[in-house]
Amino acid sequence: MSNPLMWKPSPEQIEAANLTTFARFAREQFGAEVTAYAALYRWSIDEPADFWKAFWNFAGVRASRPFDVVMEGEPAMPGTRWFVGSRLNFAENLLRYRDDRPAIVTWTERGRDRERTYRQLYAEVAQLAAALTAAGLEPGDRVAGYLPNTLETVVAMLATTSLGGVWSSCSPDFGTAGVIDRFGQIEPKFLFAAGGYRYAGKWFDLAERVATVRAALPSLSRTIVVPYPGEPRSAEVPAGCIDWQEFVAGARAAEIPFKQLPFDHPLYILYSSGTTGVPKCIVHSAGGILLQHLKEHLLHCDLRRNDRLMYFTTCGWMMWNWLVSSLAVGLEMVLYDGSPLAPSTAVLFDLAQAQRLTVLGTSPKYLAAIAKAGLVPRETHDLSSLRLILSTGAPLGGAGFDYVYESIKSDVHLASISGGTDICACFAIGNPVAPVYRGEMQTRGLGMQVEVYDEQGRSIVGRKGELVCTRPFPSMPLGFWNDPSGEKYEQAYFQRFPGVWCHGDYAEITDHDGLVIHGRSDAVLNPGGVRIGTAEIYRQVEQVPDVLESLVIGQQWQDDVRVVLFVKLRPGLVLDEPLKTRICCQIRQATTPRHVPAKVVQVADIPHTKSGKIVELAVRDVVHGRPVQNAEALANPEALELFRNLPELG
């Protein structure tokens, strides 16, 4: 695979990059022969103990006790322990700056909301930490957040983790069953819950939902209700709960007593999507997340104190956890809560212009939506400060790259990245000192020995196969909650290739040593025994202007599998034969005849998870008459009914 060049850094950009500075540091301190990125990557996976020690020192990780050993024992998955003997606190590293530079600026659909400096943020975290201490929070206690992406959510997480508590969150668009399915497993001691939230111009009162969730969690000692910015209606507090201001009233603390804990102390509990059963509770370590996120922020995104970063996310997606770690860099973090398309399709670019963002994070779904809407930000907004656009949540196809460079900014660094909730980090990520090629993720992350395996477990290049990681890395989960033997954890990632992390992505390493993700392995189509990644079809369908969104599955048919494509069209359009022909021709010309769907069916809506990912497996179950487990995990579960008993598939 060889794709056209879209962007490359200037010699000045390469010389000034943190990555270049780190390579120099590695040469001087460790004698590493790393004059180019390829050599640096090879050193990082051949000598992982030296690499991670070098980065720990380079990043200035704050720890009250240094480590005795970087990696304990021979590299093994699972089982390797990292930075044994060290004592640190995650929140202390994020609050290392305490000056008057902006730390957090918050926006809602109504515009700019609030700003906090690093000094003010520290003071608010200190006050809440004192209130939590007085209320009995102990290290290891779970604290749950049923919250929007606002200032108080960040303060609550930092206060919790400063005391050694374990933070877990869901966004407020989750229904009660979805929240209880998640928090019910981890038995939180405290719950921070929103009184309500605003989305797409509508107000959603959560008092009833919060009362239901509280009643279903007998482990709770306190439920703290958080008001939504600028909404007096959110001040109503359900019975048995306490308002945020009342909870912190009287709590005073000049300093935060950052609890010093082992590197592998639990920090976060994140959740699998839950569309194939009860969500898995994935436990992440404080040191692993801190080190991995610092590496990605400093080296792969080239972040520094003068940056202004906004990633569009909710608190139910791991990108929120990734975003808030950027406070450790000392930059200005911008939070946006609401619809990315309200009050207009340009709202995120209004924010980018007003805040003079240097880094904007988004998703292929959002880019496709604004492209279909005809938005051309380079003509309507001043984006001169923007240097990096990040995209994740699904593979970004060639058309997405074209749209960014043609309609947003021609000289921006576009980094399509990929990882997941499982590792709360990235396997494939950006590289500020390397070119960007159309449709490709630039590089495998430093310290991550990512390969592609064929069916027999052999490493391959230039062909499609299973994305794997063959050596341990610090942000591997500690395991699953309530899985003391580790059996479920091993089955999830190490069963296919023993001792090797199998991520569940269908991928390919390119001629440029980049990566292309062709879809999830469990959604791969198999007509006539030929494996086809769903993303290969999506990349072509998204180029048909009449199609807003699509979903493809393999349907069991006459002792084989046939490819079925569902399309959501622009309002008022009907799927006629000429349009079907155009869609199929686009797919055939750019791929192979086997990629062409046997059936193309129009539907009114496409089901998504809360984080915006389409759910091929749930639709496949409906089409085959099988029950869908945990439809509550979907943002629009009613859309599944559109696929039941379709006459076109009979």
Side-chain angles (χ1 to χ4, degrees):
M1 173 183 289
S2 184
N3 291 314
L5 176 71
M6 306 294 284
W7 173 87
K8 66 178 181 179
S10 68
E12 294 77 16
Q13 287 172 314
I14 294 173
E15 177 58 29
N18 289 333
L19 197 59
T20 302
T21 305
F22 174 69
R24 191 178 301 121
F25 178 83
R27 290 196 298 272
E28 294 170 355
Q29 300 294 319
F30 289 84
E33 297 180 8
V34 289
T35 54
Y37 183 82
L40 181 61
Y41 175 74
R42 176 51 56 188
W43 177 68
S44 77
I45 60 176
D46 286 348
E47 305 293 340
D50 282 353
F51 166 74
W52 288 109
K53 180 181 180 180
F55 182 71
W56 172 290
N57 294 335
F58 179 81
V61 172
R62 296 201 166 194
S64 62
R65 186 186 187 283
F67 52 86
D68 299 322
V69 180
V70 176
M71 299 175 70
E72 187 175 71
E74 291 297 316
M77 286 196 292
T80 297
R81 294 187 64 211
W82 293 89
F83 293 93
V84 178
S86 65
R87 291 293 183 274
L88 55 80
N89 185 276
F90 178 80
E92 183 178 17
N93 278 272
L94 270 60
L95 294 171
R96 64 177 69 188
Y97 297 100
R98 300 174 196 175
D99 53 26
D100 292 321
R101 296 181 65 160
I104 302 177
V105 178
T106 63
W107 282 60
T108 69
E109 291 178 3
R110 294 183 170 180
R112 184 181 166 111
D113 174 41
R114 291 171 288 175
E115 177 180 310
R116 294 292 187 272
T117 66
Y118 275 89
R119 190 185 310 278
Q120 291 168 330
L121 177 62
Y122 182 91
E124 291 193 22
V125 173
Q127 185 181 29
L128 182 58
L132 287 169
T133 299
L137 179 66
E138 299 285 346
D141 286 343
R142 278 77 62 209
V143 178
Y146 184 27
L147 296 167
N149 186 22
T150 59
L151 171 67
E152 288 81 4
T153 307
V154 179
V155 171
M157 181 279 289
L158 289 170
T160 296
T161 56
S162 74
L163 302 173
V166 184
W167 178 259
S168 189
S169 60
C170 289
S171 56
D173 56 344
F174 274 76
T176 54
V179 176
I180 294 165
D181 277 350
R182 288 159 174 77
F183 295 163
Q185 296 184 69
I186 66 169
E187 300 178 298
K189 189 172 185 177
F190 295 88
L191 171 67
F192 288 88
Y197 69 100
R198 181 169 291 277
Y199 191 87
K202 296 179 181 178
W203 172 252
F204 296 87
D205 189 276
L206 292 181
E208 212 173 289
R209 286 197 225 169
V210 171
T212 301
V213 169
R214 178 177 172 272
L217 300 176
S219 60
L220 290 176
S221 67
R222 294 289 182 92
T223 299
I224 301 101
V225 175
V226 183
Y228 193 80
E231 296 287 350
R233 283 172 293 181
S234 65
E236 298 178 10
V237 179
C241 303
I242 185 171
D243 176 74
W244 172 287
Q245 292 301 331
E246 185 181 349
F247 181 66
V248 300
R252 295 289 181 268
E255 297 294 329
I256 303 171
F258 293 110
K259 189 72 176 176
Q260 299 300 303
L261 299 158
F263 186 90
D264 57 3
H265 182 77
L267 172 76
Y268 291 140
I269 298 176
L270 304 183
Y271 304 94
S272 64
S273 63
T275 54
T276 56
V278 176
K280 296 189 290 288
C281 305
I282 306 169
V283 185
H284 290 285
S285 71
I289 293 300
L290 174 67
L291 205 60
Q292 189 73 266
H293 287 183
L294 276 171
K295 180 203 73 175
E296 293 176 355
H297 290 148
L298 291 173
L299 303 186
H300 291 285
C301 295
D302 203 32
L303 297 180
R304 51 199 79 202
R305 287 217 74 183
N306 61 358
D307 275 307
R308 295 171 296 280
L309 163 67
M310 193 283 288
Y311 211 110
F312 178 74
T313 181
T314 71
C315 301
W317 188 22
M318 54 93 22
M319 290 310 298
W320 180 86
N321 307 79
W322 188 92
L323 171 66
V324 296
S325 290
S326 68
L327 290 170
V329 178
L331 49 63
E332 180 180 313
M333 182 178 74
V334 182
L335 306 179
Y336 176 78
D337 189 70
S339 167
L341 304 174
S344 75
T345 53
V347 64
L348 295 190
F349 291 97
D350 295 342
L351 182 158
Q353 176 177 274
Q355 293 295 146
R356 294 197 56 76
L357 291 184
T358 58
V359 184
L360 171 64
T362 183
S363 67
K365 181 185 176 186
Y366 171 74
L367 293 173
I370 61 173
K372 299 280 186 181
L375 196 67
V376 185
R378 66 177 174 81
E379 296 179 353
T380 56
H381 292 75
D382 176 5
L383 301 175
S384 55
S385 62
L386 191 63
R387 66 170 179 83
L388 173 63
I389 294 177
L390 298 163
S391 174
T392 194
L396 182 64
F401 280 72
D402 295 340
Y403 175 73
V404 167
Y405 284 104
E406 292 169 4
S407 298
I408 298 180
K409 195 174 185 186
S410 60
D411 61 346
V412 75
H413 176 196
L414 172 61
S416 175
I417 64 179
S418 181
T421 300
D422 321 73
I423 62 171
C424 198
C426 300
F427 281 133
I429 195 165
N431 184 344
V433 303
V436 172
Y437 294 95
R438 185 178 186 268
E440 294 187 24
M441 297 171 185
Q442 282 181 288
T443 189
R444 293 166 280 180
L446 292 169
M448 314 288 274
Q449 187 159 349
V450 175
E451 300 179 41
V452 173
Y453 273 11
D454 65 12
E455 292 286 333
Q456 286 72 45
R458 298 172 297 205
S459 186
I460 56 176
V461 174
R463 291 189 288 134
K464 299 163 193 169
E466 293 287 342
L467 179 70
V468 300
C469 190
T470 60
R471 290 197 182 187
F473 49 94
S475 69
M476 288 177 62
L478 296 173
F480 295 160
W481 194 259
N482 290 330
D483 180 30
S485 69
E487 182 181 357
K488 293 178 182 177
Y489 177 45
E490 291 216 28
Q491 286 178 349
Y493 305 112
F494 305 103
Q495 193 171 49
R496 178 85 186 272
F497 305 109
V500 170
W501 178 287
C502 187
H503 196 54
D505 279 341
Y506 191 51
E508 178 181 1
I509 296 176
T510 71
D511 295 344
H512 308 117
D513 207 31
L515 274 172
V516 174
I517 306 291
H518 294 288
R520 292 293 295 169
S521 299
D522 52 12
V524 163
L525 310 171
N526 200 24
V530 177
R531 299 188 85 200
I532 296 172
T534 54
E536 300 173 71
I537 295 176
Y538 296 139
R539 290 187 184 111
Q540 304 313 316
V541 179
E542 69 183 17
Q543 298 184 55
V544 179
D546 295 339
V547 181
L548 289 177
E549 200 171 18
S550 62
L551 183 147
V552 65
I553 66 165
Q555 182 193 15
Q556 297 297 324
W557 186 255
Q558 296 180 352
D559 299 323
D560 197 358
V561 174
R562 67 178 181 183
V563 178
V564 178
L565 175 68
F566 299 100
V567 293
K568 177 183 176 181
L569 303 180
R570 289 182 178 277
L573 294 184
V574 175
L575 183 66
D576 54 19
E577 288 304 319
L579 180 52
K580 284 184 183 179
T581 300
R582 270 198 292 138
I583 293 170
C584 291
C585 284
Q586 175 68 39
I587 295 170
R588 181 186 297 270
Q589 289 169 6
T591 55
T592 74
R594 287 198 176 273
H595 288 71
V596 178
K599 293 283 184 177
V600 183
V601 181
Q602 182 177 359
V603 289
D605 199 8
I606 301 287
H608 298 89
T609 65
K610 302 286 187 180
S611 59
K613 298 178 182 179
I614 59 175
V615 286
E616 293 127 327
L617 299 186
V619 169
R620 192 170 70 191
D621 284 340
V622 170
V623 166
H624 289 97
R626 299 190 290 261
V628 175
Q629 298 185 51
N630 208 6
E632 177 67 30
L634 303 183
N636 54 340
E638 67 282 354
L640 288 175
E641 291 304 311
L642 301 172
F643 298 83
R644 196 177 303 280
N645 301 322
L646 289 172
E648 297 94 330
L649 301 186

